[in-house]
Amino acid sequence: MIDILDDLDVLLRPCVDLATVGMGGIALGSPAAGVPRRSIVQAQSSLVARYRGGTAVESEYFDAAGRRPTLDEVVDHTVRSDGFLYCADKLTYKVRGGTVVGFALHGPHLSHFAHLTSYEELLAAFGRPDRVRENETYGELTNRGLYYWGSRKHVQWDAWDHRVSLINMGEFEGNAGP
């Protein structure tokens, strides 16, 4: 298995066999319970009806009955069902049926691609995507989502800051084609 954190350049390939890559020692198809608990700072699953949190705000979870499950309870539910595990090191694991089916990188991991300062440089490095979704706010382009179906990958380009702001692989919306 190629760990993308050890070889971020693997993300530049337009076609990657997802059976050959992992992130943080976790391969796609692995049990979600294998994601190191000590690194999980937030989780999302169907157990959570409402969430409150943010910068400098302690996270609070509420179920449909208004009960406040702990982070451990939400993580326990997520690793047995569906949802997301968010780690302190800016890594996210998507879980379906207790299995890791996708992962995402954001934050400092993407500094590896900081030399790409224009959309044209991004295309030269990653190749032509199968699909591009442009997002606008008040008529101004904010970002572009580039989808590479051969590797079920999404690369988000921040048009304001001229940088890669997210890369995800696996079973995320749009990654497998129309």
Side-chain angles (χ1 to χ4, degrees):
M1 172 181 78
I2 301 168
D3 194 308
I4 61 173
L5 297 178
D6 295 333
D7 184 6
L8 288 167
D9 285 337
V10 76
L11 295 171
L12 295 170
R13 299 180 196 163
C15 291
V16 176
D17 178 1
L18 294 182
T20 67
V21 296
M23 182 177 78
I26 306 295
L28 289 178
S30 296
V35 176
R37 283 274 176 146
R38 68 189 178 286
S39 70
I40 300 171
V41 295
Q42 184 182 347
Q44 177 185 341
S45 78
S46 61
L47 176 66
V48 179
R50 191 168 58 89
Y51 169 78
R52 187 176 86 81
T55 306
V57 176
E58 188 173 333
S59 296
E60 292 181 284
Y61 299 94
F62 300 89
D63 66 13
R67 190 180 74 80
R68 293 178 56 184
T70 65
L71 173 61
D72 283 338
E73 290 174 301
V74 176
V75 170
D76 286 342
H77 187 266
T78 305
V79 301
R80 290 189 317 268
S81 61
D82 301 343
F84 294 89
L85 300 171
Y86 302 96
C87 299
D89 48 3
K90 303 296 184 185
L91 304 176
T92 301
Y93 297 89
K94 183 174 183 180
V95 178
R96 184 172 298 130
T99 300
V100 174
V101 297
F103 40 74
L105 293 95
H106 44 98
H109 299 287
L110 299 176
S111 65
H112 181 77
F113 304 105
H115 65 282
L116 305 175
T117 58
S118 73
Y119 182 65
E120 293 72 24
E121 290 175 353
L122 173 82
L123 292 175
F126 282 88
R128 293 277 171 201
D130 296 294
R131 181 180 197 175
V132 176
R133 283 191 186 156
E134 293 187 342
N135 297 301
E136 295 182 354
T137 301
Y138 303 114
E140 187 174 346
L141 179 67
T142 56
N143 63 61
R144 288 184 173 108
L146 290 75
Y147 296 88
Y148 298 86
W149 298 332
S151 56
R152 293 180 24 219
K153 174 178 65 185
H154 168 218
V155 178
Q156 182 96 7
W157 176 254
D158 184 320
W160 285 355
D161 292 333
H162 307 285
R163 65 181 179 86
V164 175
S165 58
L166 168 79
I167 298 176
N168 69 42
M169 297 180 86
E171 294 184 27
F172 288 89
E173 181 184 341
N175 285 6

